Amino acid sequence: MQVLSQGVTVVALLADPDAPTAIAQRLARTLPDRLTDMSGQGRRFEVEVVSEPFTSGTEDPPTLMRRIKDRGSAENWDIVVALTDLPLHSHGRKLAVDLNHEHGLALLSLPSLGGLRLQTRARRAVEEAVLGMASPHTDGAEGTSRSQPLPGPSVNRLAPSHPGPGQGRPDEKETDDLRYVVSGPRGYLRVLAGMVRANRPWRLVPGLSKALAAALATGAVATVNSTVWSLATSLSTPRLVIATVGSVAIMIGWLIIDAELWHRSPESSPEAKQRARLYNASTVLTVGIGVLVCYVGLMVINLVWALFILNGQAFSSMTRTPLHAGEYLTLAWFVASVATVGGALGSGLESDEAIRAAAYSKREQERRRQLQNDHDD
């Protein structure tokens, strides 16, 4: 890795495949000009995007930093910023940014940035990391390059931490000199939201084609069933809400159990258990959001089907209730709950791999396969 000069600074964005690579490629379009304008030192920047699974087989930040260092030393790069959609942990705290100013290395865990405005937050974090390493401050006592905590808006929301000799393994102090971590309930929720966004739960809808086919068939039959009409008109709003919650919970539970999505850590350490709880919470939320999207879609389709097929006179003769807008909505609502249960049964026809592919990002699928292989071995 070459020494920084006042000329051109080459910045490599080393990104895990899938979402991190897409974010890095979007960043690379505007990052050189923004860094040049923000540096104000007559320095120009060039940005290269390298997509490769540098986190394969490990979630250990020191190991990842050493991989980044080795990768950068083989190239003509001044600064390397690595992006991953894995949630990283350091001594029980959730790691956001890991920095090594001496070698110009940065490791960014995207879930720590939260689930909203991810592209903007990632751009700010990368800019702050690069400018902090491109403009080091000198420590008068030792004459070594150090950097003060970055003043930018992204990092101000994070807690800086200087690794000490008593932390972790003896060799860990060589991998970084400054970390930013998230902690507390807000930090937990932020990382959780980032993990759910990385999984992109909306992909669950087209990924459950057989389950949706079963749900649509169930809804179509239920809509023309006079017994269902009578039940729908007799149910109060609280009972309809209970039916919704129950059917959605059944669908979520069935998908998680049938496709073996529940994470069991092979380790018994408190940090491993904490990590397992975080992964399981993200799984429940990912599947839950996907199922809710399916539920709303079923309700809309059932409403359109009811408007097309139902006869007001036949409905009134069976239920002794006129068929007005309220009855259409109530029937579509109740039928959506019935159809969701039918969809849960139909999801048993999906392969486990298809459900995992719909529920998880590519990197998370690789991580789980690696864990399963290690467990089998």
Side-chain angles (χ1 to χ4, degrees), residues 184-271:
R186 288 187 64 183
Y188 178 89
L189 292 176
R190 186 174 179 174
V191 173
L192 184 60
M195 292 174 67
V196 172
R197 189 193 188 285
N199 287 336
R200 291 177 286 184
W202 52 88
R203 299 186 310 174
L204 194 66
V205 179
L208 296 176
S209 57
K210 295 184 177 66
L212 287 174
L216 289 172
T218 303
V221 173
T223 301
V224 297
N225 188 297
S226 59
T227 303
V228 174
W229 300 348
S230 300
L231 285 172
T233 55
S234 66
L235 291 176
S236 61
T237 299
R239 287 178 176 270
L240 287 170
V241 171
I242 292 172
T244 298
V245 173
S247 61
V248 169
I250 289 172
M251 183 71 157
I252 294 172
W254 185 278
L255 288 173
I256 291 176
I257 294 172
D258 186 56
E260 299 180 351
L261 302 182
W262 198 254
H263 177 71
R264 293 178 177 84
S265 175
E267 305 174 25
S268 58
S269 65
E271 186 168 325

Coordinates of all heavy atoms in Angstrom, one line a residue, residues 184-271:
G184 N -26.7 -0.1 23.7 CA -28.0 0.2 24.3 C -29.1 -0.2 23.4 O -29.0 -0.7 22.3
P185 N -30.4 0.0 23.9 CA -31.6 -0.4 23.2 C -31.7 0.3 21.8 O -32.1 -0.4 20.8 CB -32.7 0.1 24.1 CG -32.1 0.2 25.5 CD -30.7 0.6 25.3
R186 N -31.3 1.5 21.7 CA -31.4 2.2 20.4 C -30.4 1.6 19.4 O -30.8 1.4 18.2 CB -31.2 3.7 20.5 CG -32.3 4.5 21.2 CD -32.1 6.0 21.2 NE -32.0 6.4 19.8 CZ -31.8 7.7 19.5 NH1 -31.5 8.6 20.4 NH2 -31.8 8.1 18.2
G187 N -29.2 1.3 19.9 CA -28.3 0.7 19.0 C -28.7 -0.7 18.6 O -28.5 -1.1 17.4
Y188 N -29.3 -1.5 19.5 CA -29.8 -2.8 19.1 C -30.9 -2.7 18.1 O -30.9 -3.4 17.1 CB -30.4 -3.5 20.4 CG -31.0 -4.8 20.2 CD1 -30.2 -6.0 20.2 CD2 -32.3 -5.0 19.8 CE1 -30.7 -7.3 20.0 CE2 -32.9 -6.2 19.6 CZ -32.1 -7.4 19.7 OH -32.6 -8.6 19.5
L189 N -31.8 -1.8 18.2 CA -32.9 -1.6 17.3 C -32.4 -1.1 15.9 O -32.9 -1.5 14.9 CB -34.0 -0.6 17.8 CG -34.8 -1.1 19.0 CD1 -35.7 0.0 19.5 CD2 -35.6 -2.4 18.7
R190 N -31.3 -0.3 16.0 CA -30.8 0.2 14.7 C -30.1 -0.9 13.9 O -30.3 -1.0 12.7 CB -29.7 1.3 15.1 CG -29.1 2.0 13.9 CD -28.2 3.1 14.4 NE -27.6 3.8 13.3 CZ -26.9 4.9 13.4 NH1 -26.7 5.4 14.7 NH2 -26.4 5.5 12.4
V191 N -29.3 -1.8 14.6 CA -28.7 -2.9 13.9 C -29.8 -3.9 13.4 O -29.7 -4.4 12.3 CB -27.7 -3.6 14.9 CG1 -27.2 -4.9 14.2 CG2 -26.6 -2.7 15.2
L192 N -30.8 -4.1 14.2 CA -31.8 -5.0 13.9 C -32.5 -4.5 12.6 O -32.8 -5.3 11.7 CB -32.8 -5.2 15.0 CG -34.0 -6.2 14.8 CD1 -33.4 -7.6 14.6 CD2 -34.9 -6.2 16.0
A193 N -32.8 -3.2 12.6 CA -33.5 -2.7 11.4 C -32.6 -2.8 10.1 O -33.0 -3.1 9.0 CB -33.8 -1.2 11.6
G194 N -31.3 -2.6 10.3 CA -30.3 -2.8 9.2 C -30.3 -4.2 8.7 O -30.2 -4.4 7.5
M195 N -30.3 -5.2 9.6 CA -30.3 -6.6 9.2 C -31.6 -6.9 8.5 O -31.5 -7.6 7.4 CB -30.2 -7.5 10.5 CG -28.8 -7.3 11.2 SD -28.8 -8.3 12.7 CE -28.9 -10.0 12.1
V196 N -32.7 -6.4 8.9 CA -34.0 -6.7 8.2 C -33.9 -6.1 6.8 O -34.4 -6.7 5.8 CB -35.2 -6.2 9.0 CG1 -36.5 -6.3 8.2 CG2 -35.3 -7.0 10.3
R197 N -33.4 -4.9 6.7 CA -33.3 -4.3 5.4 C -32.4 -5.0 4.5 O -32.7 -5.2 3.3 CB -32.8 -2.8 5.5 CG -33.0 -2.0 4.2 CD -32.2 -0.7 4.3 NE -32.5 0.1 3.1 CZ -32.0 -0.2 1.9 NH1 -31.2 -1.2 1.7 NH2 -32.3 0.6 0.9
A198 N -31.3 -5.5 5.0 CA -30.4 -6.3 4.2 C -31.0 -7.6 3.7 O -30.7 -8.0 2.5 CB -29.1 -6.7 5.0
N199 N -32.0 -8.1 4.4 CA -32.7 -9.4 4.0 C -33.7 -9.1 2.9 O -34.2 -10.0 2.3 CB -33.3 -10.1 5.2 CG -32.3 -10.8 6.1 OD1 -31.2 -11.1 5.6 ND2 -32.6 -11.0 7.3
R200 N -34.1 -7.8 2.8 CA -35.1 -7.4 1.9 C -36.4 -8.3 1.9 O -36.7 -9.1 1.1 CB -34.6 -7.4 0.4 CG -33.5 -6.3 0.2 CD -32.9 -6.3 -1.1 NE -31.9 -7.4 -1.2 CZ -31.2 -7.6 -2.3 NH1 -31.2 -6.8 -3.3 NH2 -30.3 -8.6 -2.3
P201 N -37.2 -8.1 3.0 CA -38.3 -9.0 3.2 C -39.4 -9.0 2.1 O -40.2 -9.9 2.0 CB -38.9 -8.4 4.6 CG -38.4 -7.1 4.7 CD -37.0 -7.1 4.0
W202 N -39.4 -7.9 1.3 CA -40.4 -7.9 0.3 C -40.2 -8.9 -0.8 O -41.1 -9.3 -1.6 CB -40.4 -6.5 -0.4 CG -39.1 -6.0 -0.8 CD1 -38.5 -6.2 -2.0 CD2 -38.2 -5.2 0.0 NE1 -37.2 -5.6 -2.0 CE2 -37.0 -5.0 -0.8 CE3 -38.2 -4.7 1.3 CZ2 -35.9 -4.2 -0.4 CZ3 -37.1 -3.9 1.7 CH2 -36.0 -3.7 0.9
R203 N -39.0 -9.5 -0.8 CA -38.7 -10.6 -1.8 C -39.4 -11.9 -1.4 O -39.4 -12.8 -2.2 CB -37.2 -10.8 -1.9 CG -36.4 -9.7 -2.3 CD -34.9 -10.1 -2.5 NE -34.4 -10.8 -1.3 CZ -33.2 -11.3 -1.3 NH1 -32.4 -11.3 -2.3 NH2 -32.8 -12.0 -0.2
L204 N -39.9 -11.9 -0.2 CA -40.6 -13.2 0.3 C -41.8 -13.4 -0.5 O -42.3 -14.6 -0.7 CB -40.9 -13.1 1.8 CG -41.3 -14.4 2.5 CD1 -40.1 -15.3 2.5 CD2 -41.8 -14.1 3.9
V205 N -42.5 -12.3 -1.0 CA -43.8 -12.5 -1.7 C -43.6 -13.3 -3.0 O -44.3 -14.4 -3.1 CB -44.4 -11.1 -2.0 CG1 -45.7 -11.2 -2.8 CG2 -44.6 -10.3 -0.7
P206 N -42.8 -12.9 -3.9 CA -42.6 -13.8 -5.1 C -41.9 -15.1 -4.8 O -42.0 -16.0 -5.6 CB -41.8 -12.9 -6.1 CG -41.0 -12.0 -5.2 CD -41.9 -11.7 -4.1
G207 N -41.2 -15.2 -3.7 CA -40.5 -16.4 -3.4 C -41.4 -17.5 -2.9 O -40.9 -18.7 -2.7
L208 N -42.6 -17.2 -2.5 CA -43.5 -18.2 -2.0 C -44.7 -18.4 -3.0 O -45.9 -18.3 -2.7 CB -44.1 -17.7 -0.6 CG -43.1 -17.5 0.5 CD1 -43.8 -17.0 1.7 CD2 -42.5 -18.9 0.8
S209 N -44.3 -18.8 -4.2 CA -45.3 -18.9 -5.2 C -46.4 -20.0 -4.9 O -47.6 -19.8 -5.1 CB -44.6 -19.2 -6.6 OG -43.8 -20.4 -6.5
K210 N -45.9 -21.2 -4.4 CA -46.8 -22.3 -4.1 C -47.7 -21.9 -3.0 O -48.9 -22.2 -3.0 CB -46.1 -23.6 -3.9 CG -45.3 -24.1 -5.1 CD -44.6 -25.4 -4.7 CE -43.9 -26.0 -5.9 NZ -42.8 -25.2 -6.4
A211 N -47.2 -21.3 -2.0 CA -48.0 -20.9 -0.8 C -49.0 -19.8 -1.2 O -50.2 -19.9 -0.8 CB -47.1 -20.3 0.3
L212 N -48.6 -18.9 -2.1 CA -49.6 -17.9 -2.5 C -50.7 -18.5 -3.4 O -51.8 -18.1 -3.3 CB -48.8 -16.8 -3.3 CG -48.0 -15.8 -2.4 CD1 -47.2 -14.9 -3.3 CD2 -48.9 -15.1 -1.5
A213 N -50.3 -19.5 -4.2 CA -51.3 -20.2 -5.0 C -52.3 -20.8 -4.2 O -53.5 -20.8 -4.4 CB -50.6 -21.2 -6.0
A214 N -51.9 -21.5 -3.1 CA -52.8 -22.1 -2.1 C -53.7 -21.1 -1.4 O -54.9 -21.4 -1.2 CB -52.0 -23.0 -1.1
A215 N -53.1 -20.0 -1.1 CA -53.8 -18.9 -0.4 C -54.9 -18.4 -1.3 O -56.0 -18.1 -0.9 CB -52.9 -17.9 0.1
L216 N -54.5 -18.1 -2.6 CA -55.5 -17.5 -3.5 C -56.6 -18.5 -3.8 O -57.8 -18.1 -3.9 CB -54.8 -17.2 -4.8 CG -53.8 -16.0 -4.7 CD1 -53.0 -15.8 -6.0 CD2 -54.6 -14.7 -4.5
A217 N -56.3 -19.8 -3.9 CA -57.4 -20.8 -4.1 C -58.3 -20.9 -2.9 O -59.5 -20.9 -3.1 CB -56.7 -22.2 -4.4
T218 N -57.7 -20.9 -1.7 CA -58.5 -20.9 -0.5 C -59.4 -19.7 -0.4 O -60.6 -19.8 -0.1 CB -57.6 -20.9 0.7 OG1 -56.8 -22.1 0.7 CG2 -58.5 -21.0 2.0
G219 N -58.9 -18.5 -0.7 CA -59.7 -17.3 -0.7 C -60.8 -17.2 -1.7 O -61.9 -16.8 -1.4
A220 N -60.5 -17.7 -2.9 CA -61.5 -17.8 -4.0 C -62.7 -18.6 -3.6 O -63.9 -18.3 -3.8 CB -60.9 -18.3 -5.3
V221 N -62.4 -19.8 -3.0 CA -63.5 -20.7 -2.5 C -64.3 -20.1 -1.4 O -65.5 -20.2 -1.3 CB -62.9 -22.1 -2.2 CG1 -64.0 -23.0 -1.6 CG2 -62.3 -22.7 -3.4
A222 N -63.5 -19.6 -0.4 CA -64.1 -19.0 0.8 C -65.1 -17.9 0.5 O -66.1 -17.7 1.1 CB -63.1 -18.6 1.8
T223 N -64.7 -17.1 -0.5 CA -65.5 -15.9 -0.8 C -66.9 -16.2 -1.3 O -67.9 -15.5 -1.1 CB -64.8 -15.0 -1.9 OG1 -63.5 -14.7 -1.4 CG2 -65.6 -13.8 -2.3
V224 N -67.1 -17.4 -1.9 CA -68.4 -17.8 -2.4 C -69.1 -18.7 -1.5 O -70.2 -19.3 -1.9 CB -68.3 -18.4 -3.8 CG1 -67.8 -17.3 -4.8 CG2 -67.4 -19.6 -3.8
N225 N -68.6 -18.9 -0.3 CA -69.2 -19.9 0.7 C -70.1 -19.1 1.6 O -69.7 -18.2 2.3 CB -68.0 -20.5 1.5 CG -68.6 -21.7 2.3 OD1 -69.4 -21.4 3.2 ND2 -68.1 -22.9 2.1
S226 N -71.4 -19.5 1.6 CA -72.4 -18.8 2.4 C -72.1 -18.9 3.9 O -72.5 -18.0 4.7 CB -73.8 -19.4 2.1 OG -73.8 -20.8 2.4
T227 N -71.5 -20.0 4.4 CA -71.1 -20.1 5.8 C -70.1 -19.0 6.2 O -70.2 -18.4 7.2 CB -70.6 -21.5 6.1 OG1 -71.5 -22.5 5.7 CG2 -70.2 -21.6 7.6
V228 N -69.2 -18.8 5.3 CA -68.2 -17.7 5.5 C -68.8 -16.4 5.5 O -68.5 -15.5 6.3 CB -67.1 -17.8 4.4 CG1 -66.1 -16.6 4.5 CG2 -66.3 -19.1 4.5
W229 N -69.8 -16.2 4.7 CA -70.6 -14.9 4.7 C -71.2 -14.7 6.1 O -71.1 -13.6 6.6 CB -71.7 -14.9 3.7 CG -71.3 -15.1 2.2 CD1 -70.0 -15.0 1.7 CD2 -72.2 -15.4 1.2 NE1 -70.1 -15.3 0.4 CE2 -71.4 -15.5 0.0 CE3 -73.6 -15.5 1.0 CZ2 -71.9 -15.7 -1.3 CZ3 -74.1 -15.8 -0.2 CH2 -73.3 -15.9 -1.4
S230 N -71.8 -15.7 6.6 CA -72.5 -15.6 7.9 C -71.5 -15.3 9.0 O -71.7 -14.5 9.9 CB -73.3 -16.8 8.2 OG -74.3 -17.1 7.2
L231 N -70.4 -16.0 9.0 CA -69.3 -15.8 10.0 C -68.8 -14.4 9.9 O -68.6 -13.7 10.9 CB -68.2 -16.8 9.8 CG -68.5 -18.3 10.2 CD1 -67.3 -19.2 9.8 CD2 -68.6 -18.3 11.8
A232 N -68.5 -13.9 8.7 CA -67.9 -12.6 8.5 C -68.8 -11.5 9.1 O -68.4 -10.6 9.7 CB -67.6 -12.4 7.1
T233 N -70.1 -11.6 8.8 CA -71.0 -10.5 9.2 C -71.3 -10.6 10.7 O -71.7 -9.6 11.3 CB -72.4 -10.7 8.5 OG1 -72.9 -12.0 8.7 CG2 -72.2 -10.4 7.0
S234 N -71.0 -11.8 11.3 CA -71.3 -11.9 12.8 C -70.1 -11.5 13.6 O -70.2 -11.4 14.8 CB -71.7 -13.3 13.1 OG -70.7 -14.2 12.9
L235 N -68.9 -11.4 13.0 CA -67.7 -11.1 13.8 C -67.5 -9.7 14.1 O -67.7 -8.8 13.2 CB -66.5 -11.6 13.0 CG -66.3 -13.2 12.9 CD1 -65.1 -13.5 12.0 CD2 -66.1 -13.8 14.2
S236 N -67.1 -9.4 15.3 CA -66.9 -8.0 15.7 C -65.4 -7.6 15.2 O -64.6 -8.5 14.9 CB -67.0 -7.8 17.2 OG -66.1 -8.6 17.9
T237 N -65.1 -6.3 15.3 CA -63.8 -5.9 14.9 C -62.7 -6.5 15.7 O -61.7 -7.0 15.2 CB -63.7 -4.3 14.9 OG1 -64.7 -3.8 14.0 CG2 -62.3 -3.9 14.5
P238 N -62.8 -6.6 17.1 CA -61.8 -7.3 17.8 C -61.5 -8.7 17.4 O -60.4 -9.2 17.4 CB -62.3 -7.2 19.3 CG -63.2 -6.0 19.3 CD -63.8 -6.0 18.0
R239 N -62.6 -9.4 17.1 CA -62.4 -10.8 16.7 C -61.7 -10.9 15.3 O -60.9 -11.8 15.1 CB -63.8 -11.5 16.6 CG -64.4 -11.8 18.0 CD -65.7 -12.5 17.9 NE -66.3 -12.8 19.2 CZ -66.1 -14.0 19.8 NH1 -65.3 -14.9 19.2 NH2 -66.6 -14.2 20.9
L240 N -62.0 -9.9 14.4 CA -61.4 -9.9 13.1 C -59.9 -9.6 13.3 O -59.0 -10.2 12.6 CB -62.0 -8.9 12.2 CG -63.4 -9.2 11.7 CD1 -64.0 -8.0 11.0 CD2 -63.3 -10.4 10.6
V241 N -59.5 -8.7 14.2 CA -58.1 -8.5 14.5 C -57.4 -9.7 15.1 O -56.3 -10.0 14.7 CB -58.0 -7.3 15.5 CG1 -56.6 -7.1 16.0 CG2 -58.5 -6.0 14.9
I242 N -58.1 -10.4 16.0 CA -57.6 -11.6 16.5 C -57.3 -12.7 15.4 O -56.3 -13.4 15.4 CB -58.5 -12.2 17.6 CG1 -58.5 -11.3 18.9 CG2 -58.0 -13.6 18.1 CD1 -59.5 -11.7 19.9
A243 N -58.3 -12.8 14.5 CA -58.1 -13.7 13.4 C -56.9 -13.3 12.5 O -56.2 -14.2 12.1 CB -59.4 -13.7 12.5
T244 N -56.7 -12.0 12.3 CA -55.6 -11.6 11.5 C -54.3 -11.9 12.2 O -53.4 -12.5 11.6 CB -55.7 -10.0 11.3 OG1 -56.9 -9.7 10.6 CG2 -54.4 -9.5 10.6
V245 N -54.2 -11.6 13.5 CA -52.9 -11.8 14.3 C -52.7 -13.3 14.3 O -51.5 -13.8 14.1 CB -53.0 -11.3 15.7 CG1 -51.8 -11.7 16.5 CG2 -53.1 -9.7 15.6
G246 N -53.7 -14.1 14.5 CA -53.5 -15.6 14.6 C -53.1 -16.2 13.3 O -52.2 -17.0 13.3
S247 N -53.7 -15.8 12.2 CA -53.4 -16.4 10.9 C -51.9 -16.0 10.5 O -51.2 -16.8 10.0 CB -54.4 -15.9 9.8 OG -54.4 -14.5 9.7
V248 N -51.6 -14.7 10.7 CA -50.2 -14.2 10.4 C -49.2 -15.0 11.3 O -48.1 -15.4 10.8 CB -50.1 -12.7 10.6 CG1 -48.7 -12.3 10.5 CG2 -50.9 -12.0 9.5
A249 N -49.5 -15.1 12.6 CA -48.6 -15.8 13.4 C -48.4 -17.3 13.0 O -47.3 -17.8 13.1 CB -49.1 -15.8 14.9
I250 N -49.5 -17.9 12.6 CA -49.4 -19.3 12.1 C -48.5 -19.4 10.9 O -47.6 -20.3 10.8 CB -50.8 -19.9 11.8 CG1 -51.6 -20.1 13.1 CG2 -50.7 -21.2 11.0 CD1 -53.0 -20.5 12.9
M251 N -48.7 -18.5 10.0 CA -47.8 -18.5 8.8 C -46.4 -18.2 9.1 O -45.5 -18.9 8.6 CB -48.3 -17.4 7.8 CG -47.6 -17.3 6.5 SD -48.0 -18.7 5.4 CE -47.6 -18.0 3.8
I252 N -46.1 -17.3 10.0 CA -44.7 -17.0 10.3 C -44.1 -18.2 11.0 O -43.0 -18.6 10.7 CB -44.6 -15.8 11.3 CG1 -45.1 -14.5 10.5 CG2 -43.2 -15.6 11.8 CD1 -45.2 -13.3 11.4
G253 N -44.8 -18.8 12.0 CA -44.2 -19.9 12.7 C -44.0 -21.1 11.8 O -43.0 -21.8 11.9
W254 N -45.0 -21.3 10.9 CA -44.8 -22.5 10.0 C -43.6 -22.3 9.1 O -42.9 -23.3 8.9 CB -46.1 -22.6 9.1 CG -46.1 -23.8 8.3 CD1 -45.5 -24.0 7.1 CD2 -46.8 -25.1 8.6 NE1 -45.8 -25.2 6.6 CE2 -46.5 -25.9 7.5 CE3 -47.6 -25.5 9.6 CZ2 -47.0 -27.2 7.4 CZ3 -48.0 -26.8 9.6 CH2 -47.8 -27.7 8.5
L255 N -43.4 -21.1 8.5 CA -42.3 -20.9 7.6 C -41.0 -21.1 8.4 O -40.0 -21.7 7.8 CB -42.4 -19.5 7.0 CG -43.4 -19.3 6.0 CD1 -43.5 -17.8 5.6 CD2 -43.2 -20.1 4.7
I256 N -40.9 -20.5 9.6 CA -39.6 -20.6 10.3 C -39.3 -22.1 10.7 O -38.2 -22.5 10.6 CB -39.7 -19.7 11.5 CG1 -39.7 -18.2 11.1 CG2 -38.5 -20.0 12.5 CD1 -39.8 -17.3 12.2
I257 N -40.3 -22.8 11.2 CA -40.1 -24.1 11.6 C -39.9 -25.1 10.4 O -38.9 -25.9 10.4 CB -41.3 -24.6 12.5 CG1 -41.4 -23.8 13.8 CG2 -41.2 -26.1 12.8 CD1 -42.6 -24.1 14.6
D258 N -40.7 -25.0 9.4 CA -40.6 -25.9 8.3 C -39.3 -25.7 7.5 O -38.8 -26.7 7.1 CB -41.8 -25.7 7.4 CG -41.9 -26.7 6.3 OD1 -41.9 -27.9 6.6 OD2 -41.9 -26.4 5.1
A259 N -38.9 -24.5 7.3 CA -37.7 -24.3 6.6 C -36.4 -24.2 7.5 O -35.3 -23.9 7.0 CB -37.8 -22.9 5.8
E260 N -36.6 -24.5 8.8 CA -35.5 -24.5 9.7 C -34.7 -23.1 9.7 O -33.5 -23.1 9.5 CB -34.5 -25.6 9.4 CG -35.2 -27.0 9.6 CD -34.3 -28.2 9.3 OE1 -33.2 -27.9 8.8 OE2 -34.7 -29.3 9.6
L261 N -35.4 -22.1 9.8 CA -34.8 -20.7 9.8 C -34.3 -20.3 11.1 O -33.6 -19.3 11.2 CB -35.8 -19.7 9.3 CG -36.4 -19.9 7.9 CD1 -37.4 -18.8 7.5 CD2 -35.4 -20.1 6.8
W262 N -34.7 -21.0 12.2 CA -34.3 -20.6 13.6 C -32.8 -20.9 13.7 O -32.3 -22.0 13.4 CB -35.1 -21.4 14.6 CG -35.1 -20.7 15.9 CD1 -34.4 -21.2 17.0 CD2 -35.7 -19.5 16.3 NE1 -34.6 -20.3 18.1 CE2 -35.4 -19.3 17.7 CE3 -36.6 -18.6 15.7 CZ2 -35.9 -18.2 18.4 CZ3 -37.1 -17.5 16.4 CH2 -36.7 -17.3 17.7
H263 N -32.1 -19.9 14.2 CA -30.6 -20.0 14.4 C -30.3 -20.5 15.8 O -30.7 -20.0 16.8 CB -30.0 -18.6 14.2 CG -28.5 -18.6 14.4 ND1 -27.6 -19.1 13.5 CD2 -27.8 -18.1 15.4 CE1 -26.4 -19.0 14.0 NE2 -26.4 -18.3 15.1
R264 N -29.5 -21.6 15.8 CA -28.9 -22.2 17.0 C -27.4 -22.1 17.0 O -26.8 -22.7 16.2 CB -29.4 -23.6 17.2 CG -30.9 -23.7 17.4 CD -31.3 -25.2 17.6 NE -32.7 -25.4 17.8 CZ -33.7 -25.4 16.9 NH1 -33.3 -25.2 15.6 NH2 -34.9 -25.5 17.2
S265 N -26.9 -21.3 17.9 CA -25.4 -21.1 17.9 C -24.7 -22.4 18.5 O -25.1 -22.9 19.5 CB -25.1 -19.9 18.8 OG -23.7 -19.8 18.9
P266 N -23.7 -22.8 17.8 CA -22.9 -24.0 18.3 C -22.1 -23.6 19.5 O -21.6 -24.5 20.2 CB -22.0 -24.4 17.1 CG -21.9 -23.1 16.3 CD -23.2 -22.3 16.5
E267 N -21.9 -22.3 19.8 CA -21.1 -21.9 20.9 C -22.1 -21.5 22.1 O -23.2 -21.2 21.9 CB -20.3 -20.6 20.5 CG -19.4 -20.8 19.3 CD -18.7 -19.6 18.9 OE1 -18.5 -18.7 19.8 OE2 -18.4 -19.4 17.7
S268 N -21.5 -21.6 23.3 CA -22.3 -21.3 24.5 C -21.9 -20.0 25.2 O -22.4 -19.7 26.3 CB -22.1 -22.5 25.5 OG -20.8 -22.7 25.8
S269 N -21.0 -19.2 24.5 CA -20.6 -18.0 25.2 C -21.7 -17.0 25.2 O -22.6 -17.0 24.3 CB -19.4 -17.4 24.4 OG -19.7 -17.1 23.1
P270 N -21.7 -16.0 26.1 CA -22.8 -15.0 26.1 C -22.8 -14.2 24.8 O -23.9 -13.8 24.4 CB -22.3 -14.1 27.3 CG -21.5 -15.0 28.2 CD -20.8 -15.9 27.3
E271 N -21.7 -13.9 24.2 CA -21.7 -13.1 23.0 C -22.3 -13.9 21.8 O -23.0 -13.4 21.0 CB -20.2 -12.7 22.6 CG -20.2 -11.8 21.4 CD -18.8 -11.2 21.2 OE1 -18.1 -10.9 22.2 OE2 -18.4 -11.0 20.1

